[in-house]
Amino acid sequence: KNMVREILVVKKDLLFGEKYFQGFCPIDEKDYLEIVLNNFEYQERNDLLENNPDFQQIIPYVWIINKKEGRVFLYKRAKTGNEGRLHDKYSGGVGGHIDKDTEEKSLDPIMDAMMRELKEEVLMQSYPLPKLIGFINDDATDVGKVHFGVIAITESADDVKPLEDMSSGMFYSISEADKLISDPNADIETWTKISWPSVREFIEN
């Protein structure tokens, strides 16, 4: 197996050619998927790429909800994992980079990476296909500058157990999640804060 890890990226000017945004962009406002699928390439994941905002690393980011009970799965990232800048933070999104190793032959590398990450990171009785709700671009942080989030929701009526990269994870009611995510003393991932209002809306409607 190749020791060089190659991940899926898109040139920033191709991605944002028609429309640039900061924060969350709902999928019905602008669907960036087609741009990604038509313009992606794989590049070696190294320090150079991690600090090069000319390329956006595409990151599937899947929230797990129980719509019937009005609950959302939140977890705390473990101190392990490749991205040191995210250790110990609370997160609502399961996901990660799209890898050439696993996704190269895929017709839809984004959805396939979403499913792979879900299966790697949480134990669910079944893994329903995630529904895409929008995108995140956050140029306010160093991590955000080089990553572009594809935000999705998967619904589960069953229990969800954390597997790798999580120190803990459980379902929260909407009010509990509101309280945690808005708590200034809790260490919440930026993308979680940015996408939570849209996820909450999805649960409530």
mmCIF file of all heavy atoms in Angstrom, residues 45-71:
data_model
loop_
_atom_site.group_PDB
_atom_site.id
_atom_site.type_symbol
_atom_site.label_atom_id
_atom_site.label_comp_id
_atom_site.label_asym_id
_atom_site.label_seq_id
_atom_site.Cartn_x
_atom_site.Cartn_y
_atom_site.Cartn_z
ATOM 1 N N ARG A 45 -1.395 14.544 0.580
ATOM 2 C CA ARG A 45 -1.699 15.294 1.794
ATOM 3 C C ARG A 45 -0.404 15.530 2.557
ATOM 4 O O ARG A 45 0.166 14.621 3.150
ATOM 5 C CB ARG A 45 -2.687 14.517 2.665
ATOM 6 C CG ARG A 45 -3.127 15.339 3.861
ATOM 7 C CD ARG A 45 -4.099 14.607 4.755
ATOM 8 N NE ARG A 45 -4.518 15.530 5.816
ATOM 9 C CZ ARG A 45 -5.203 15.166 6.870
ATOM 10 N NH1 ARG A 45 -5.573 13.926 7.027
ATOM 11 N NH2 ARG A 45 -5.540 16.051 7.792
ATOM 12 N N ASN A 46 0.063 16.775 2.530
ATOM 13 C CA ASN A 46 1.296 17.121 3.231
ATOM 14 C C ASN A 46 1.162 18.538 3.782
ATOM 15 O O ASN A 46 0.137 19.193 3.604
ATOM 16 C CB ASN A 46 2.502 17.005 2.285
ATOM 17 C CG ASN A 46 2.293 17.806 1.002
ATOM 18 O OD1 ASN A 46 1.561 18.798 0.980
ATOM 19 N ND2 ASN A 46 2.926 17.376 -0.077
ATOM 20 N N ASP A 47 2.201 19.017 4.459
ATOM 21 C CA ASP A 47 2.137 20.343 5.085
ATOM 22 C C ASP A 47 1.891 21.444 4.067
ATOM 23 O O ASP A 47 1.210 22.435 4.345
ATOM 24 C CB ASP A 47 3.437 20.638 5.843
ATOM 25 C CG ASP A 47 3.524 19.822 7.122
ATOM 26 O OD1 ASP A 47 2.481 19.271 7.534
ATOM 27 O OD2 ASP A 47 4.616 19.723 7.706
ATOM 28 N N LEU A 48 2.450 21.249 2.880
ATOM 29 C CA LEU A 48 2.279 22.237 1.824
ATOM 30 C C LEU A 48 0.796 22.399 1.485
ATOM 31 O O LEU A 48 0.262 23.508 1.405
ATOM 32 C CB LEU A 48 3.063 21.775 0.581
ATOM 33 C CG LEU A 48 3.457 22.835 -0.427
ATOM 34 C CD1 LEU A 48 4.427 23.828 0.193
ATOM 35 C CD2 LEU A 48 4.091 22.181 -1.651
ATOM 36 N N LEU A 49 0.129 21.256 1.291
ATOM 37 C CA LEU A 49 -1.293 21.281 0.930
ATOM 38 C C LEU A 49 -2.123 21.835 2.089
ATOM 39 O O LEU A 49 -3.068 22.601 1.879
ATOM 40 C CB LEU A 49 -1.761 19.872 0.557
ATOM 41 C CG LEU A 49 -3.163 19.767 -0.056
ATOM 42 C CD1 LEU A 49 -3.219 20.458 -1.415
ATOM 43 C CD2 LEU A 49 -3.599 18.314 -0.202
ATOM 44 N N GLU A 50 -1.771 21.451 3.322
ATOM 45 C CA GLU A 50 -2.521 21.897 4.503
ATOM 46 C C GLU A 50 -2.461 23.407 4.687
ATOM 47 O O GLU A 50 -3.253 23.983 5.427
ATOM 48 C CB GLU A 50 -1.974 21.215 5.774
ATOM 49 C CG GLU A 50 -2.334 19.748 5.906
ATOM 50 C CD GLU A 50 -3.831 19.489 5.968
ATOM 51 O OE1 GLU A 50 -4.591 20.365 6.413
ATOM 52 O OE2 GLU A 50 -4.247 18.389 5.555
ATOM 53 N N ASN A 51 -1.473 24.039 4.050
ATOM 54 C CA ASN A 51 -1.340 25.485 4.192
ATOM 55 C C ASN A 51 -1.517 26.216 2.865
ATOM 56 O O ASN A 51 -1.104 27.363 2.723
ATOM 57 C CB ASN A 51 0.026 25.814 4.800
ATOM 58 C CG ASN A 51 0.132 25.295 6.221
ATOM 59 O OD1 ASN A 51 -0.515 25.811 7.129
ATOM 60 N ND2 ASN A 51 0.912 24.240 6.427
ATOM 61 N N ASN A 52 -2.153 25.536 1.906
ATOM 62 C CA ASN A 52 -2.345 26.125 0.584
ATOM 63 C C ASN A 52 -3.831 26.357 0.291
ATOM 64 O O ASN A 52 -4.527 25.451 -0.174
ATOM 65 C CB ASN A 52 -1.727 25.209 -0.480
ATOM 66 C CG ASN A 52 -1.838 25.797 -1.880
ATOM 67 O OD1 ASN A 52 -2.412 26.872 -2.070
ATOM 68 N ND2 ASN A 52 -1.307 25.086 -2.859
ATOM 69 N N PRO A 53 -4.325 27.580 0.532
ATOM 70 C CA PRO A 53 -5.752 27.857 0.329
ATOM 71 C C PRO A 53 -6.176 27.869 -1.133
ATOM 72 O O PRO A 53 -7.362 27.983 -1.430
ATOM 73 C CB PRO A 53 -5.943 29.242 0.972
ATOM 74 C CG PRO A 53 -4.595 29.836 1.093
ATOM 75 C CD PRO A 53 -3.582 28.730 1.058
ATOM 76 N N ASP A 54 -5.208 27.743 -2.080
ATOM 77 C CA ASP A 54 -5.578 27.674 -3.492
ATOM 78 C C ASP A 54 -6.296 26.367 -3.826
ATOM 79 O O ASP A 54 -6.958 26.252 -4.851
ATOM 80 C CB ASP A 54 -4.337 27.787 -4.392
ATOM 81 C CG ASP A 54 -3.747 29.188 -4.332
ATOM 82 O OD1 ASP A 54 -4.468 30.108 -3.893
ATOM 83 O OD2 ASP A 54 -2.574 29.361 -4.704
ATOM 84 N N PHE A 55 -6.112 25.374 -2.948
ATOM 85 C CA PHE A 55 -6.812 24.100 -3.122
ATOM 86 C C PHE A 55 -7.716 23.853 -1.926
ATOM 87 O O PHE A 55 -7.302 23.990 -0.792
ATOM 88 C CB PHE A 55 -5.818 22.940 -3.254
ATOM 89 C CG PHE A 55 -5.140 22.896 -4.591
ATOM 90 C CD1 PHE A 55 -3.893 23.470 -4.773
ATOM 91 C CD2 PHE A 55 -5.761 22.292 -5.681
ATOM 92 C CE1 PHE A 55 -3.269 23.440 -6.012
ATOM 93 C CE2 PHE A 55 -5.160 22.261 -6.918
ATOM 94 C CZ PHE A 55 -3.909 22.837 -7.092
ATOM 95 N N GLN A 56 -8.959 23.501 -2.226
ATOM 96 C CA GLN A 56 -9.907 23.190 -1.167
ATOM 97 C C GLN A 56 -10.009 21.677 -1.020
ATOM 98 O O GLN A 56 -10.337 20.971 -1.978
ATOM 99 C CB GLN A 56 -11.275 23.775 -1.509
ATOM 100 C CG GLN A 56 -11.284 25.296 -1.603
ATOM 101 C CD GLN A 56 -11.083 25.965 -0.250
ATOM 102 O OE1 GLN A 56 -11.919 25.879 0.644
ATOM 103 N NE2 GLN A 56 -9.944 26.633 -0.091
ATOM 104 N N GLN A 57 -9.725 21.185 0.186
ATOM 105 C CA GLN A 57 -9.886 19.760 0.467
ATOM 106 C C GLN A 57 -11.363 19.527 0.773
ATOM 107 O O GLN A 57 -11.934 20.170 1.649
ATOM 108 C CB GLN A 57 -9.014 19.369 1.664
ATOM 109 C CG GLN A 57 -7.537 19.707 1.452
ATOM 110 C CD GLN A 57 -6.724 19.534 2.723
ATOM 111 O OE1 GLN A 57 -7.026 18.699 3.563
ATOM 112 N NE2 GLN A 57 -5.664 20.335 2.869
ATOM 113 N N ILE A 58 -11.969 18.622 0.016
ATOM 114 C CA ILE A 58 -13.411 18.394 0.143
ATOM 115 C C ILE A 58 -13.676 17.398 1.277
ATOM 116 O O ILE A 58 -13.148 16.287 1.277
ATOM 117 C CB ILE A 58 -14.004 17.869 -1.178
ATOM 118 C CG1 ILE A 58 -13.593 18.785 -2.359
ATOM 119 C CG2 ILE A 58 -15.520 17.741 -1.067
ATOM 120 C CD1 ILE A 58 -14.077 20.220 -2.271
ATOM 121 N N ILE A 59 -14.494 17.817 2.250
ATOM 122 C CA ILE A 59 -14.742 17.010 3.446
ATOM 123 C C ILE A 59 -16.230 16.697 3.606
ATOM 124 O O ILE A 59 -17.031 17.595 3.883
ATOM 125 C CB ILE A 59 -14.272 17.757 4.720
ATOM 126 C CG1 ILE A 59 -12.831 18.237 4.594
ATOM 127 C CG2 ILE A 59 -14.469 16.870 5.958
ATOM 128 C CD1 ILE A 59 -11.770 17.176 4.705
ATOM 129 N N PRO A 60 -16.630 15.425 3.443
ATOM 130 C CA PRO A 60 -18.002 15.042 3.784
ATOM 131 C C PRO A 60 -18.193 15.190 5.293
ATOM 132 O O PRO A 60 -17.293 14.850 6.065
ATOM 133 C CB PRO A 60 -18.082 13.566 3.386
ATOM 134 C CG PRO A 60 -16.899 13.311 2.515
ATOM 135 C CD PRO A 60 -15.852 14.286 2.936
ATOM 136 N N TYR A 61 -19.359 15.703 5.703
ATOM 137 C CA TYR A 61 -19.613 16.024 7.106
ATOM 138 C C TYR A 61 -21.059 15.641 7.392
ATOM 139 O O TYR A 61 -21.987 16.340 6.994
ATOM 140 C CB TYR A 61 -19.389 17.522 7.291
ATOM 141 C CG TYR A 61 -19.187 18.016 8.705
ATOM 142 C CD1 TYR A 61 -17.965 17.868 9.360
ATOM 143 C CD2 TYR A 61 -20.205 18.686 9.381
ATOM 144 C CE1 TYR A 61 -17.761 18.368 10.642
ATOM 145 C CE2 TYR A 61 -20.010 19.199 10.659
ATOM 146 C CZ TYR A 61 -18.779 19.038 11.281
ATOM 147 O OH TYR A 61 -18.584 19.548 12.544
ATOM 148 N N VAL A 62 -21.249 14.494 8.040
ATOM 149 C CA VAL A 62 -22.593 13.917 8.176
ATOM 150 C C VAL A 62 -23.099 13.990 9.612
ATOM 151 O O VAL A 62 -22.472 13.460 10.530
ATOM 152 C CB VAL A 62 -22.607 12.435 7.731
ATOM 153 C CG1 VAL A 62 -24.035 11.898 7.735
ATOM 154 C CG2 VAL A 62 -21.991 12.275 6.341
ATOM 155 N N TRP A 63 -24.221 14.655 9.786
ATOM 156 C CA TRP A 63 -24.907 14.676 11.075
ATOM 157 C C TRP A 63 -25.836 13.460 11.169
ATOM 158 O O TRP A 63 -26.471 13.095 10.176
ATOM 159 C CB TRP A 63 -25.756 15.929 11.215
ATOM 160 C CG TRP A 63 -25.014 17.212 11.385
ATOM 161 C CD1 TRP A 63 -24.299 17.887 10.438
ATOM 162 C CD2 TRP A 63 -24.938 18.006 12.579
ATOM 163 N NE1 TRP A 63 -23.778 19.044 10.965
ATOM 164 C CE2 TRP A 63 -24.156 19.153 12.284
ATOM 165 C CE3 TRP A 63 -25.450 17.864 13.872
ATOM 166 C CZ2 TRP A 63 -23.879 20.147 13.224
ATOM 167 C CZ3 TRP A 63 -25.182 18.849 14.808
ATOM 168 C CH2 TRP A 63 -24.399 19.970 14.498
ATOM 169 N N ILE A 64 -25.939 12.876 12.350
ATOM 170 C CA ILE A 64 -26.851 11.747 12.568
ATOM 171 C C ILE A 64 -27.979 12.232 13.467
ATOM 172 O O ILE A 64 -27.728 12.773 14.552
ATOM 173 C CB ILE A 64 -26.124 10.566 13.236
ATOM 174 C CG1 ILE A 64 -24.905 10.149 12.401
ATOM 175 C CG2 ILE A 64 -27.075 9.385 13.418
ATOM 176 C CD1 ILE A 64 -23.941 9.209 13.134
ATOM 177 N N ILE A 65 -29.201 12.082 12.991
ATOM 178 C CA ILE A 65 -30.338 12.555 13.784
ATOM 179 C C ILE A 65 -31.379 11.457 13.956
ATOM 180 O O ILE A 65 -31.418 10.483 13.201
ATOM 181 C CB ILE A 65 -31.033 13.777 13.121
ATOM 182 C CG1 ILE A 65 -31.701 13.371 11.790
ATOM 183 C CG2 ILE A 65 -30.047 14.916 12.905
ATOM 184 C CD1 ILE A 65 -32.714 14.371 11.277
ATOM 185 N N ASN A 66 -32.211 11.608 14.983
ATOM 186 C CA ASN A 66 -33.412 10.806 15.132
ATOM 187 C C ASN A 66 -34.568 11.803 15.071
ATOM 188 O O ASN A 66 -34.867 12.489 16.046
ATOM 189 C CB ASN A 66 -33.391 10.071 16.477
ATOM 190 C CG ASN A 66 -34.606 9.177 16.651
ATOM 191 O OD1 ASN A 66 -35.689 9.479 16.139
ATOM 192 N ND2 ASN A 66 -34.449 8.086 17.371
ATOM 193 N N LYS A 67 -35.161 11.899 13.883
ATOM 194 C CA LYS A 67 -36.170 12.933 13.633
ATOM 195 C C LYS A 67 -37.411 12.720 14.488
ATOM 196 O O LYS A 67 -37.984 13.651 15.034
ATOM 197 C CB LYS A 67 -36.534 12.945 12.143
ATOM 198 C CG LYS A 67 -37.174 14.242 11.667
ATOM 199 C CD LYS A 67 -37.266 14.253 10.155
ATOM 200 C CE LYS A 67 -38.326 15.193 9.639
ATOM 201 N NZ LYS A 67 -37.890 16.591 9.506
ATOM 202 N N LYS A 68 -37.808 11.463 14.599
ATOM 203 C CA LYS A 68 -39.030 11.127 15.341
ATOM 204 C C LYS A 68 -38.931 11.591 16.797
ATOM 205 O O LYS A 68 -39.876 12.127 17.363
ATOM 206 C CB LYS A 68 -39.279 9.612 15.261
ATOM 207 C CG LYS A 68 -40.739 9.220 15.444
ATOM 208 C CD LYS A 68 -40.989 7.762 15.073
ATOM 209 C CE LYS A 68 -40.432 6.832 16.140
ATOM 210 N NZ LYS A 68 -39.604 5.741 15.639
ATOM 211 N N GLU A 69 -37.774 11.379 17.376
ATOM 212 C CA GLU A 69 -37.597 11.745 18.788
ATOM 213 C C GLU A 69 -36.994 13.134 18.956
ATOM 214 O O GLU A 69 -36.781 13.597 20.085
ATOM 215 C CB GLU A 69 -36.719 10.701 19.491
ATOM 216 C CG GLU A 69 -37.388 9.339 19.579
ATOM 217 C CD GLU A 69 -36.480 8.302 20.231
ATOM 218 O OE1 GLU A 69 -35.468 8.692 20.850
ATOM 219 O OE2 GLU A 69 -36.800 7.113 20.126
ATOM 220 N N GLY A 70 -36.682 13.796 17.838
ATOM 221 C CA GLY A 70 -36.120 15.138 17.921
ATOM 222 C C GLY A 70 -34.768 15.176 18.609
ATOM 223 O O GLY A 70 -34.503 16.010 19.471
ATOM 224 N N ARG A 71 -33.906 14.238 18.218
ATOM 225 C CA ARG A 71 -32.597 14.175 18.875
ATOM 226 C C ARG A 71 -31.471 14.170 17.841
ATOM 227 O O ARG A 71 -31.673 13.811 16.691
ATOM 228 C CB ARG A 71 -32.505 12.922 19.765
ATOM 229 C CG ARG A 71 -33.546 12.955 20.879
ATOM 230 C CD ARG A 71 -33.302 11.912 21.945
ATOM 231 N NE ARG A 71 -33.163 10.578 21.383
ATOM 232 C CZ ARG A 71 -32.473 9.596 21.994
ATOM 233 N NH1 ARG A 71 -31.863 9.830 23.142
ATOM 234 N NH2 ARG A 71 -32.400 8.397 21.451
#
